[in-house]
Amino acid sequence: MSGMDEPLRRKKSRITIFDEPVICQFCSQDVFIPYEVYVNVEQPGIGCRHTRYIAICQHCGQAKKFGDPSYYDAEKNNYIWALNQHLLSVRKYRINILLYVGKRNNDKITSFINKLIEVFSIEVEKMSDFRGGVELQLKLSSLNEMQTIRSSIIIAARRLKITIKELTIK
């Protein structure tokens, strides 16, 4: 959504102000759910209210407060929209991984699966042994792009000294 004349929707999204992304100060993530907040800026009882936003980070839960700095440019006779909201949809992926752990080491495979569950909340559909390794079939629902998921899986495997022979994400 670009150039909005409507309030931000209460959905997981990436928000930009003048094309600069809103980033969480604590975890550096950029996925938020925005909420409108009405602020009484005058003396109590007068009833002059302004709309502000509070966006809740979907990674750490930290609240980010901001206003709408959109304005009318009289010289260009044009309204400058500051806020843009890019709604995110949860994508579903199927992941197939062929792992080699050298000598059969169930602890490494269990640690690897637990790490993936911790990071992605994956669901293990099938785990089959074959000569020298294991094949994992996983289901994942995530807001992340395929490349981010791929690199996170590879990093987790490297830390546990697991060799990935094949990694397929669909």
Side-chain angles (χ1 to χ4, degrees):
M1 295 170 36
S2 180
M4 298 178 15
D5 60 350
E6 60 188 46
L8 298 178
R9 295 183 190 162
R10 291 183 182 182
K11 298 193 182 252
K12 284 186 182 181
S13 55
R14 290 193 168 95
I15 302 166
T16 60
I17 301 175
F18 292 119
D19 294 327
E20 291 294 322
V22 174
I23 304 288
C24 180
Q25 295 174 342
F26 292 94
C27 67
S28 300
Q29 298 293 321
D30 65 346
V31 177
F32 293 89
I33 294 180
Y35 296 92
E36 282 186 3
V37 177
Y38 298 100
V39 180
N40 188 354
V41 295
E42 300 289 330
Q43 297 174 359
I46 294 177
C48 181
R49 299 187 188 275
H50 291 282
T51 303
R52 301 280 189 256
Y53 287 99
I54 292 181
I56 307 299
C57 176
Q58 294 303 288
H59 185 71
C60 71
Q62 182 64 33
K64 175 89 172 173
K65 299 176 187 176
F66 58 94
D68 184 357
S70 300
Y71 64 95
Y72 178 76
D73 186 357
E75 290 178 9
K76 296 180 182 176
N77 195 23
N78 192 11
Y79 196 81
I80 309 298
W81 296 104
L83 291 178
N84 287 319
Q85 181 179 29
H86 308 280
L87 299 175
L88 299 175
S89 61
V90 176
R91 297 174 190 94
K92 296 182 189 262
Y93 298 104
R94 288 200 177 283
I95 303 171
N96 192 29
I97 307 173
L98 295 176
L99 303 172
Y100 289 102
V101 290
K103 293 181 182 176
R104 184 82 171 114
N105 190 337
N106 287 335
D107 293 339
K108 279 187 178 181
I109 294 168
T110 303
S111 296
F112 179 66
I113 292 171
N114 289 340
K115 184 63 175 176
L116 293 179
I117 289 171
E118 176 187 320
V119 172
F120 294 115
S121 300
I122 63 163
E123 179 183 326
V124 179
E125 283 188 319
K126 184 178 172 187
M127 184 168 107
S128 16
D129 295 332
F130 64 93
R131 195 176 77 226
V134 172
E135 179 181 11
L136 292 175
Q137 292 180 356
L138 312 168
K139 278 173 53 176
L140 167 68
S141 297
S142 177
L143 294 171
N144 293 325
E145 298 293 328
M146 208 179 298
Q147 195 60 30
T148 305
I149 294 168
R150 179 182 304 279
S151 62
S152 297
I153 290 171
I154 291 171
I155 290 169
R158 283 184 187 157
R159 287 185 179 154
L160 294 169
K161 296 186 172 132
I162 293 175
T163 303
I164 295 180
K165 175 68 177 171
E166 185 179 320
L167 173 59
T168 309
I169 302 174
K170 296 180 185 176

